[in-house]
Amino acid sequence: MYKENRLPENQLNGAAVMNGAYIGELIRRNHGGEWLTDEESLKSGAYAIEFDGNRAFPVGWCVKRIQNGIEDNVQGKYEFFVVHAGDLESIRKHRAQLREKLGESEEGSASLDD
């Protein structure tokens, strides 16, 4: 979307903050996280959320997704950093289960990666 029809900067930031805040709230409510509100975090505009000793930057994820398209997949980042805390084997098992439920092969898994 962004590559073809570049959004004005204020619209890009607005869309990223709105979507990133939603994802951050999902993290906070489902994984016990807290938004970082220290001066450094707020000045940087990073809007980080901390949970289980980890930090995630969902607003940044959304900025990159809007700018770069599908290659910056928010679902994949959420799975990697939040659901599976970086455990690659756990992610592979989870994706295989989803593919099985959807009746997809390894090659035909675009719906999982959109």
Side-chain angles (χ1 to χ4, degrees):
M1 174 177 125
Y2 183 80
K3 287 180 179 179
E4 297 84 26
N5 305 308
R6 294 207 180 259
L7 293 172
E9 194 71 23
N10 65 335
Q11 288 180 6
L12 167 73
N13 291 335
V17 168
M18 182 176 62
N19 288 287
Y22 177 78
I23 293 166
E25 278 300 295
L26 289 175
I27 294 168
R28 187 183 70 78
R29 293 177 186 195
N30 292 309
H31 302 280
E34 290 184 24
W35 288 101
L36 297 181
T37 57
D38 60 274
E39 190 173 329
E40 185 179 328
S41 294
L42 295 176
K43 276 185 181 177
S44 71
Y47 304 108
I49 189 160
E50 193 167 70
F51 61 97
D52 296 331
N54 300 307
R55 284 189 183 182
F57 301 88
V59 173
W61 297 349
C62 291
V63 167
K64 289 181 178 185
R65 174 61 169 93
I66 293 167
Q67 289 177 329
N68 301 328
I70 196 167
E71 67 238 32
D72 264 308
N73 183 310
V74 173
Q75 177 186 348
K77 290 175 184 174
Y78 179 86
E79 288 177 3
F80 184 79
F81 291 108
V82 180
V83 176
H84 301 287
D87 179 0
L88 292 175
E89 188 55 36
S90 177
I91 292 168
R92 287 185 189 106
K93 286 179 185 177
H94 176 71
R95 289 202 166 200
Q97 290 170 345
L98 288 175
R99 283 187 187 96
E100 187 176 308
K101 283 182 184 178
L102 295 171
E104 295 180 348
S105 67
E106 290 287 323
E107 301 81 38
S109 62
S111 63
L112 291 177
D113 298 323
D114 288 344

